[in-house]
Amino acid sequence: MSSTDERGFQLAYKKLSQHLCQQNLTKICLSEFSKLTNDVERVKYMLQLREVQEILKSSPLSTEKSYAKALKLKTDGNNYFQKKNLAQALSSYNEAIRLTPVSDNEGLLAVCFANRSAVFYSMNRHEDCLMDIDLSINHGYPLDMQYKLLARRAKCLQYCSDTNLLSSCVEAALHSLELSGLDEKRRSIIQEDISKLSIKSQAVDRQQAISSCSPSIGPLNQQYPALSSSAGVCESNEYGRYIRAQSNINVGDVVLTETPYCSVTLPESYFTHCSSCQARTDKLYPCRSCADVIFCSQVCEEVSWQQWHRFECKYSLSLKFVDINMGHLALRTALKVGHGALSDVLKGNLNQPDVVKYYESIYILEGHDKDRSCKDLLWRTAAAVMLAQLCDVTEWSGSSEDGLVTLAAFTLRHMQIFPCNAHEISQVIYDESQPSQSALVEVGAGIYSTLSLFNHSCDPSVVRIFHEGNTCVMKAISPIKELEQIYDNYGCLHATHSLEDRREKLSSQYYFHCCCASCMQNWNLYSQLSFSDTPLYKCTDCGSMIIPPYSGNCDDCGALFDRVAVDKMLTKAKKGFDQVLTDLFTKSYRDYDIAKSTKAIQAYSQLVNSLVFRPAKTLNDSQEALKHIYSLQGNVLIKSSTA
């Protein structure tokens, strides 16, 4: 492995800088580079610099599969299974599957899938067992032994309600038994066991029953189908393109459900999460060539191979060591679009049919190239050139002479766009013994065309939750009135970050000066708020602010404001809310009624928002509770107390 692969781009860039200094070219390069006006010119300039290609280029590097290692792991799995250590057996079989050569494996892959199906059956994971049985047969499990798999399939189907399906599977198992070559006595015993199979009620493993399926979004926006019909896209000189409510939105309403145009898995999650959809999986499907990534299904592997992984595969380990922010995502997006489509874009044919669907909405996102320093652009150009050489450019471009320049130029464009527009993909690590210590961790990153249009507020009205891997769901955490802008948050909250820190971070990464209400009014941090503070009340009729001393009638609509009644209402509601929170952070996930508690927290939040203005501790608490309970309905990994 080269030093570039081990320590990433920073070392390669340091070598490039040293080379320029030694040749007294730094000032000349920056002066010449500053005159370049587009990414193609920048890439061509970088490639013309002496020794640059040699400094930034890496050789193909990936982990080869190994029949011998896979065979040993399969044997280890068998031993663990015999000792009823199912977790270790599953882990060993997964590793064996990852390392087994897809071709010329003497049937080992089929056996590993078959043996893993036995583990899943013992875990009462019948759907997973059935999928592995199919994979084993499709990969050539021996005909004279298939009766074992078909009998196991029939046993799984006992827990479905389709008696005809079970009957046909029993018949298939009995027919396969006749081809087994077993002696008559042994065959007769097995035949009797199979014939007795009948429908049973299913004993469900509670952990497997927990689902991260995306919630229903309701009627869709016809022009932007990732959005609910309650939201739409607007444009103005002040805000650019942004998302606005087209009707009143209540707490808990789903505003957006979107899968990314392209996504990547973070290196630390390579062997736990699908390289295509970022779903966590313990039933991995292997890459057909390398052992550096995993997939959650054969479908994900095939889609990935067709769109981008066949170009990355030989360099998969090199890409793992490249420490460039959003670099891999930038490269993969260009690979997915394709050389022909990107060539059309360079010619100005953005709306041609062969330009991949939805890429236009990514391509036109703001990259702030005019706001970046010459040194920043030089750094990104060098990184893009290196990244473009970490894949099979010849195959990607069809041996086109401009393949490297095109790939590097669009990778460079994406490296400018994505830091301001891409999003992390996350998962909750739920500690069953200490629910309050559960944490949100990043497992990947993706570029979402509609999600990227939401503007920032330090007091957001929606929260992002990830389901089924990389599907982003946006839910309202405060009521949003018709025609109001819908605000996301870019990592700076008024409750936890000072005004100075928020504006500095937003300005340095996103190139704007935040003017949300919490910034303009310099709201207090959460730690500076108190439940004993007298809140700013809303009129219960028109929603206008009630001016102290909070007695008499509303100045706007004339309605009587009864502060005593409002305080009693808030006190009673908070008591119920506090009990829900106590249960949420003390009871086990398995024993907790998530749906009931979600409704209770939403109702409390809706009530408090109708009676009190921000900033208020009660509002912050209700929003944080909503974020937490919504996250438990998305991507969740349970750390069992018995593990």
Side-chain angles (χ1 to χ4, degrees):
M1 184 184 300
S2 70
S3 59
T4 300
D5 298 316
E6 289 175 340
R7 295 187 230 173
F9 173 70
Q10 298 294 343
L11 180 59
Y13 188 71
K14 184 178 180 180
K15 287 178 65 178
L16 174 61
S17 299
Q18 290 173 346
H19 168 71
L20 296 178
C21 288
Q22 290 168 1
Q23 302 297 322
N24 296 317
L25 294 174
T26 304
K27 290 184 178 180
I28 297 174
C29 286
L30 287 174
S31 174
E32 293 175 346
F33 194 82
S34 65
K35 298 174 184 177
L36 305 178
T37 59
N38 60 63
D39 294 330
V40 172
E41 290 179 356
R42 293 174 183 127
V43 167
K44 286 182 176 179
Y45 181 85
M46 183 62 65
L47 289 172
Q48 289 170 0
L49 291 178
R50 183 182 176 188
E51 297 181 9
V52 164
Q53 286 210 48
E54 290 303 315
I55 293 173
L56 298 179
K57 188 174 183 179
S58 292
S59 301
L61 186 66
S62 62
T63 303
E64 294 183 358
K65 293 178 180 288
S66 169
Y67 178 87
K69 291 180 180 179
L71 183 61
K72 182 184 183 304
L73 285 161
K74 189 267 293 184
T75 303
D76 291 344
N78 293 348
N79 293 333
Y80 285 126
F81 185 71
Q82 289 171 3
K83 296 174 184 177
K84 300 190 183 303
N85 188 338
L86 299 182
Q88 283 295 334
L90 179 58
S91 177
S92 294
Y93 289 141
N94 274 328
E95 280 296 281
I97 289 169
R98 182 175 68 86
L99 290 171
T100 300
V102 174
S103 59
D104 301 324
N105 60 56
E106 300 180 17
L108 180 59
L109 190 57
V111 171
C112 289
F113 280 128
N115 291 4
R116 193 173 70 176
S117 76
V119 176
F120 286 141
Y121 181 78
S122 298
M123 290 178 163
N124 289 326
R125 292 172 57 174
H126 300 122
E127 288 186 9
D128 293 333
C129 177
L130 289 170
M131 285 190 285
D132 268 5
I133 289 170
D134 288 339
L135 287 172
S136 179
I137 292 173
N138 292 340
H139 280 84
Y141 196 77
L143 281 173
D144 62 342
M145 297 175 64
Q146 283 190 16
Y147 72 90
K148 296 180 181 180
L149 296 181
L150 296 176
R152 190 174 298 144
R153 177 187 284 167
K155 289 179 181 178
C156 287
L157 292 175
Q158 289 180 105
Y159 300 99
C160 75
S161 58
D162 192 333
T163 55
N164 292 330
L165 183 60
L166 175 61
S167 297
S168 63
C169 190
V170 167
E171 289 180 12
L174 293 173
H175 175 71
S176 179
L177 184 61
E178 295 298 322
L179 305 175
S180 65
L182 296 174
D183 62 69
E184 186 175 345
K185 182 178 180 181
R186 178 62 180 156
R187 192 165 65 245
S188 178
I189 293 172
I190 296 174
Q191 184 179 34
E192 184 177 354
D193 289 342
I194 294 174
S195 300
K196 290 178 180 179
L197 296 175
S198 59
I199 297 293
K200 295 181 179 180
S201 59
Q202 185 166 10
V204 179
D205 178 357
R206 173 63 179 159
Q207 181 165 348
Q208 295 308 314
I210 295 169
S211 171
S212 72
C213 292
S214 304
S216 173
I217 192 172
L220 300 178
N221 181 305
Q222 294 302 306
Q223 187 175 1
Y224 294 87
L227 289 173
S228 161
S229 60
S230 62
V233 177
C234 298
E235 188 168 3
S236 71
N237 291 332
E238 181 179 5
Y239 298 113
R241 290 185 296 163
Y242 65 95
I243 309 298
R244 187 177 72 179
Q246 298 191 151
S247 60
N248 290 338
I249 297 173
N250 294 319
V251 172
D253 286 353
V254 177
V255 175
L256 169 141
T257 299
E258 187 174 26
T259 55
Y261 179 81
C262 192
S263 58
V264 295
T265 303
L266 297 185
E268 54 268 32
S269 300
Y270 269 23
F271 296 151
T272 54
H273 291 73
C274 179
S275 185
S276 180
C277 72
Q278 288 69 57
R280 186 177 181 91
T281 182
D282 61 358
K283 52 180 189 297
L284 68 86
Y285 189 86
C287 169
R288 66 190 68 185
S289 182
C290 76
D292 295 310
V293 297
I294 66 168
F295 300 92
C296 65
S297 67
Q298 187 172 358
V299 171
C300 269
E301 193 275 343
E302 290 173 349
V303 169
S304 299
W305 186 262
Q306 180 63 33
Q307 293 184 349
W308 44 260
H309 190 58
R310 61 193 166 115
F311 312 119
E312 294 181 353
C313 193
K314 295 177 183 177
Y315 297 82
S316 52
L317 195 55
S318 299
L319 285 165
K320 183 176 182 178
F321 288 102
V322 172
D323 54 348
I324 302 171
N325 182 33
M326 296 290 176
H328 192 184
L329 180 61
L331 173 67
R332 183 174 289 181
T333 302
L335 291 173
K336 178 178 177 178
V337 180
H339 177 260
L342 293 182
S343 296
D344 277 344
V345 173
L346 288 177
K347 297 172 186 175
N349 301 330
L350 193 59
N351 295 314
Q352 291 299 309
D354 60 345
V355 175
V356 177
K357 191 178 183 184
Y358 301 131
Y359 178 65
E360 178 182 0
S361 59
I362 305 297
Y363 178 79
I364 63 176
L365 290 171
E366 180 59 62
H368 296 284
D369 60 324
K370 292 181 175 58
D371 298 315
R372 299 183 185 279
S373 68
C374 183
K375 188 174 181 180
D376 177 272
L377 286 172
L378 183 68
W379 181 92
R380 292 179 190 276
T381 304
V385 169
M386 188 187 83
L387 284 163
Q389 294 178 94
L390 289 178
C391 63
D392 193 334
V393 180
T394 301
E395 182 177 351
W396 177 76
S397 65
S399 301
S400 173
E401 292 183 0
D402 69 343
L404 178 59
V405 172
T406 301
L407 184 58
F410 279 90
T411 300
L412 173 57
R413 182 176 182 85
H414 299 154
M415 289 179 65
Q416 296 168 68
I417 291 172
F418 290 0
C420 303
N421 293 282
H423 290 79
E424 84 288 347
I425 297 167
S426 58
Q427 175 188 48
V428 172
I429 308 297
Y430 181 85
D431 190 332
E432 198 170 35
S433 61
Q434 295 180 293
S436 62
Q437 300 303 309
S438 300
L440 194 67
V441 298
E442 292 184 28
V443 298
I447 182 68
Y448 299 75
S449 60
T450 307
L451 177 60
S452 64
L453 301 181
F454 284 82
N455 282 333
H456 163 87
S457 171
C458 301
D459 179 39
S461 50
V462 292
V463 65
R464 284 174 267 120
I465 305 296
F466 289 88
H467 293 251
E468 302 174 282
N470 59 22
T471 298
C472 182
V473 174
M474 256 186 174
K475 282 190 170 184
I477 54 174
S478 64
I480 307 166
K481 293 181 180 179
E482 183 178 1
L483 302 184
E484 283 184 348
Q485 187 167 173
I486 305 174
Y487 287 108
D488 190 9
N489 179 267
Y490 296 176
C492 298
L493 290 166
H494 77 86
T496 55
H497 299 78
S498 69
L499 173 61
E500 182 180 348
D501 288 346
R502 297 199 307 269
R503 282 185 164 168
E504 192 282 326
K505 179 181 178 181
L506 293 169
S507 176
S508 63
Q509 181 175 350
Y510 298 98
Y511 300 95
F512 73 89
H513 183 79
C514 188
C515 294
C516 70
S518 63
C519 286
M520 298 302 289
Q521 299 169 24
N522 196 13
W523 291 355
N524 284 339
L525 297 171
Y526 180 82
S527 59
Q528 298 169 326
L529 299 173
S530 172
F531 287 118
S532 62
D533 294 341
T534 301
L536 297 172
Y537 291 105
K538 290 183 180 180
C539 171
T540 52
D541 277 28
C542 71
S544 298
M545 184 180 293
I546 300 297
I547 307 300
Y550 305 121
S551 59
N553 300 83
C554 170
D555 289 346
D556 285 355
C557 72
L560 178 67
F561 178 74
D562 188 340
R563 176 178 174 178
V564 174
V566 169
D567 283 344
K568 283 184 178 179
M569 193 185 310
L570 288 171
T571 301
K572 181 180 179 181
K574 187 177 184 307
K575 185 177 180 180
F577 171 71
D578 288 344
Q579 184 58 55
V580 172
L581 282 193
T582 299
D583 292 344
L584 180 62
F585 290 115
T586 57
K587 288 187 177 180
S588 168
Y589 187 104
R590 303 166 192 269
D591 303 323
Y592 194 70
D593 192 334
I594 292 284
K596 181 178 178 181
S597 296
T598 300
K599 290 181 180 179
I601 295 173
Q602 287 176 172
Y604 175 74
S605 179
Q606 193 81 22
L607 174 67
V608 175
N609 272 281
S610 70
L611 298 175
V612 176
F613 278 99
R614 287 173 167 73
K617 208 170 184 102
T618 51
L619 286 169
N620 284 110
D621 285 349
S622 69
Q623 286 195 342
E624 291 306 308
L626 286 169
K627 293 177 187 177
H628 183 74
I629 204 163
Y630 289 158
S631 70
L632 294 182
Q633 298 165 62
N635 296 334
V636 180
L637 171 65
I638 299 176
K639 290 176 60 178
S640 175
S641 57
T642 59

